[in-house]
Amino acid sequence: MTLTFVNVPAGNLFSEAGLRVATAAELIQPLGDSDLRFLTEDERRDAAYHRPDRLGNLLFNWFD
């Protein structure tokens, strides 16, 4: 089963709190090495083991 990401309605409201909501287009991007650079060693090890294919799959940790 492949889950679909959708854009958050009124996502701009989160920016007022200093946050940024990722778009559906950003979340479906293939996972790259640059996406892993700020992870801890344990998090990188989990990503290497589970091999999420999209950025959103890593962010939402669907493999746990």
Side-chain angles (χ1 to χ4, degrees):
M1 171 187 344
T2 301
L3 299 174
T4 303
F5 294 106
V6 297
N7 290 320
V8 174
N12 60 322
L13 295 175
F14 292 92
S15 65
E16 294 174 13
L19 302 172
R20 188 180 79 76
V21 177
T23 65
E26 291 172 313
L27 295 173
I28 64 171
Q29 292 300 307
L31 189 61
D33 289 337
S34 64
D35 300 315
L36 305 175
R37 68 179 174 220
F38 295 112
L39 299 180
T40 66
E41 186 60 36
D42 286 340
E43 291 167 333
R44 281 194 294 276
R45 204 174 6 257
D46 281 346
Y49 178 80
H50 293 286
R51 298 186 344 205
D53 56 346
R54 302 180 301 175
L55 180 58
N57 293 355
L58 177 69
L59 290 174
F60 291 106
N61 199 14
W62 287 344
F63 45 81
D64 273 350

